[in-house]
Amino acid sequence: MAVSARESGGSRRYGQGREALLQAAVQVVADQGLRNLTYRAVARKAGVAHALVAHHFGSREALLTAALRFSLDNSVTTISARPGSGDLDALFVGLSTLVEANPHDQAFQYELILESRRRPELRPYVVDIYQTYVNALHAELEHAGVQPDVALTHVIYAAADGLVFHQLTIGNPDLTERSLQRLRSLLKTRCQDSDPAAATGIAGRRCEERGLQE
Amino acid sequence: MAVSARESGGSRRYGQGREALLQAAVQVVADQGLRNLTYRAVARKAGVAHALVAHHFGSREALLTAALRFSLDNSVTTISARPGSGDLDALFVGLSTLVEANPHDQAFQYELILESRRRPELRPYVVDIYQTYVNALHAELEHAGVQPDVALTHVIYAAADGLVFHQLTIGNPDLTERSLQRLRSLLKTRCQDSDPAAATGIAGRRCEERGLQE
DNA sequence: AGGAAAAATGTCCAATTGTTCAGTTGTAGG
DNA sequence: CCTACAACTGAACAATTGGACATTTTTCCT
C-alpha cells in the first residue's frame, strides 16, 4: 500500500507544519530507526518540504529533542485504573492494550532513552518521566498497604518496563497480562505479611486476594 | 585522550581483522549508536582499511548481523551464582557489577533488540537468547521451590531486564542491588506460601528467609 | 623456493545527507 | 486593501556514505 504525497491523513492547513513534523519524527524513528531520521524522511511523512524542518527546529538534533518533549507530553502517566483506590488489581490494568494501541510512541521512547546515553541534553527528560512513573507507582503501592521503599518501587517499575519492552520487541500481549497477574499476586502476599491491619480485616479491601484465573 | 591509529589496544596481526571488526562494531554501536555504524567508523576503531569491512561481511547489514551473533556468543548466560543450588540469594548475584563491567555489550544488545523490530532476520537471535535466559531462570526457580509457571518466570525475567536497562541508561548500580534484594524477598514469601515442604522444614535450605540488610 | 589463496589496502563513484539561502505564499492587524 | 511577518518552498552545496574494484601483502602448502 504505497501512500502518496500526504502519506496517509487528511490535508494539512497553514500553520500546522510544526506539529505535523513532530508526529512524523516520532513515527519515522519508531519504524525506521534513528538512522533514518532525516530531514527528507520526516518531511515526506509530514507532507511538507524538507527545508521546513530546518526552519522550525534549526537542526536535526533540535528536532529530536523537540520530538521527545512532544512524545512525553502526550504520554499517559496513569499507573492504575482507579488511582488512589488502593486496589492492587487495578494496577497496570490495560498495559498490554496500551502498548498494542500505540507501539510507535513506546518504541520511539525506548530509542531515545538509549540515545540519551550519548546526548546529555536528553537525560533530564528521561529522568523526569521516570520520576513521574515511580512517584505515581509509590503512591499507589502505599494506598494498597504495601509499605514500599524506593528499592521495591523501583523493581516493580522495572518489571512493568521490562514487560512493555518485551511485548514491543518480541510480542505477545497475552503473556504480558498473565505476567502482570503474577506480579500482583507477589505484591499481595507481601502486603499480607507486612500489614497487620489487613490480616485482622481492619483495612477493608486492602490486600484482598482474588481468584487468579478470570 | 585522543587515541591514534590503532585506537587503543596492541598491534593486530594478519588474519585477525575480522574479529577486530566485530569487536569494533559492537563498541561503535554502543557509544555512537546505529546511526554512526559506518564502514569507516568501524574500520578506524579496528585499525584497518574500510574496504576490509566489505571484504569480510559484504554489506553493512551483514556486519550488523555478524556482530550480534558475536556479541551473543560472548555473553554470560548464567543466572545464578550457584546454579542448581536452589538458593534464591544466589539469583542474579553480581548483575549490577556485570553491567558496570561491560556496558558496551549490554547497550549494543538493547540497540539490536530494537533494531530487530524492523529487521526480521535478527529476530531469531533475539528470541533465542531470551529463551536461554528464561529456561535457566525457570530451572533455578524450580530448584528453589518456587513452582514457577511461564508467566511468573517471564515477569521475573522482565524485572531483571528492566533493572539492567535502567542502570545502563540512568545509572546507579546500588539501586539495582537493593531492588534485587526486594525481588528475592518477594520470591521467598511466595515460595513459603506455595511450598508446604518448606514450611515443615523438609526441604532443607529451600525458601530460607535471611536478613534483608547486609 | 614458488605459487595459490586469503587478507588487506587505496582509490573511485553515485547517492544521500544536513544545512544554507533566496524567494514565494498565506495570514493577521491596521 | 495593504503591509509586515511568519510559514513555507525549491534549488543549491559540501561532506559523508555504502559499495565496487584493481592491486598489494601475507600466509600456507607443496
Side-chain angles (χ1 to χ4, degrees), chain B residues 35-58:
Chain B
R35 162 158 248 257
N36 298 308
L37 182 79
T38 68
Y39 280 22
R40 285 157 179 89
V42 173
R44 200 181 320 132
K45 182 147 305 210
V48 299
H50 83 268
L52 192 59
V53 182
H55 174 253
H56 276 301
F57 305 100

Side-chain angles (χ1 to χ4, degrees), chain A residues 10-201:
Chain A
S11 63
R12 255 195 33 270
R13 277 189 295 281
Y14 188 84
Q16 301 191 324
R18 193 184 147 95
E19 185 158 336
L21 281 170
L22 289 173
Q23 285 175 329
V26 171
Q27 261 204 42
V28 168
V29 171
D31 51 50
Q32 308 197 64
L34 279 170
R35 161 158 248 256
N36 298 308
L37 182 80
T38 67
Y39 281 24
R40 286 159 179 87
V42 174
R44 199 181 320 132
K45 184 148 304 209
V48 299
H50 81 269
L52 192 60
V53 181
H55 174 255
H56 276 302
F57 305 100
S59 75
R60 182 183 172 274
E61 297 202 349
L63 165 66
L64 199 56
T65 307
L68 177 57
R69 242 192 327 233
F70 177 78
S71 170
L72 292 183
D73 285 349
N74 298 9
S75 266
V76 190
T77 53
T78 23
I79 231 74
S80 166
R82 291 180 286 282
S85 68
D87 186 358
L88 283 178
D89 286 303
L91 199 62
F92 298 130
V93 157
L95 188 61
S96 72
T97 313
L98 188 133
V99 178
E100 278 189 301
N102 45 3
H104 289 120
D105 289 322
Q106 294 296 332
F108 174 81
Q109 288 178 23
Y110 281 118
E111 294 276 354
L112 268 99
I113 293 175
L114 285 180
E115 183 72 1
S116 76
R117 268 176 33 103
R118 325 178 242 280
R119 303 249 319 262
E121 70 270 25
L122 296 180
R123 279 192 53 138
Y125 303 105
V126 172
V127 172
D128 186 69
I129 196 173
Y130 164 72
Q131 279 300 342
T132 303
Y133 275 128
V134 160
N135 288 343
L137 180 55
H138 187 89
E140 288 304 319
L141 293 175
E142 227 164 23
H143 283 127
V146 177
Q147 299 176 342
D149 59 0
V150 173
L152 181 65
T153 310
H154 182 65
V155 73
I156 295 169
Y157 164 81
D161 198 45
L163 288 176
V164 169
F165 188 77
H166 188 272
Q167 178 179 331
L168 192 69
T169 52
I170 301 194
N172 204 343
D174 229 56
L175 182 55
T176 302
E177 284 304 322
R178 283 182 292 141
S179 300
L180 284 174
Q181 286 181 14
R182 291 293 173 280
L183 182 60
R184 295 185 195 107
S185 295
L186 286 175
L187 290 177
K188 284 172 191 165
T189 55
R190 170 186 161 105
C191 176
Q192 287 172 329
D193 289 354
S194 69
D195 188 354
T200 57

Side-chain angles (χ1 to χ4, degrees), chain B residues 30-211:
Chain B
D31 52 47
Q32 309 196 62
L34 279 170
R35 162 158 248 257
N36 298 308
L37 182 79
T38 68
Y39 280 22
R40 285 157 179 89
V42 173
R44 200 181 320 132
K45 182 147 305 210
V48 299
H50 83 268
L52 192 59
V53 182
H55 174 253
H56 276 301
F57 305 100
S59 75
R60 198 192 94 103
E61 298 201 349
L63 166 66
L64 199 57
T65 306
L68 177 58
R69 244 192 327 231
F70 176 78
S71 170
L72 293 183
D73 284 350
N74 297 9
S75 267
V76 190
T77 54
T78 20
I79 231 74
S80 167
R82 290 179 287 282
S85 68
D87 186 358
L88 283 178
D89 285 302
L91 198 62
F92 297 129
V93 157
L95 188 61
S96 72
T97 313
L98 187 134
V99 178
E100 277 189 301
N102 46 3
H104 290 122
D105 289 322
Q106 293 296 331
F108 174 82
Q109 287 178 24
Y110 281 118
E111 294 276 355
L112 268 97
I113 293 174
L114 285 180
E115 183 72 1
S116 76
R117 269 175 34 102
R118 326 177 243 278
R119 302 248 320 262
E121 71 271 25
L122 296 180
R123 280 192 54 137
Y125 303 105
V126 173
V127 171
D128 186 67
I129 196 172
Y130 164 72
Q131 278 300 340
T132 303
Y133 276 127
V134 160
N135 288 343
L137 181 55
H138 187 89
E140 287 305 319
L141 293 175
E142 228 164 22
H143 283 128
V146 179
Q147 300 177 343
D149 59 0
V150 173
L152 181 64
T153 310
H154 182 64
V155 74
I156 295 169
Y157 164 81
D161 197 47
L163 288 176
V164 169
F165 188 78
H166 188 272
Q167 178 178 331
L168 191 69
T169 52
I170 301 194
N172 205 343
D174 229 57
L175 182 54
T176 303
E177 283 304 322
R178 284 183 290 141
S179 300
L180 284 174
Q181 285 180 14
R182 292 293 173 279
L183 182 61
R184 294 185 196 107
S185 296
L186 287 175
L187 289 177
K188 283 171 190 163
T189 54
R190 172 187 158 106
C191 176
Q192 287 171 328
D193 290 354
S194 68
D195 190 352
T200 57
I202 297 179
R205 54 153 12 134
R206 275 181 165 194
C207 299
E208 233 174 275
E209 181 85 55
R210 304 189 182 181

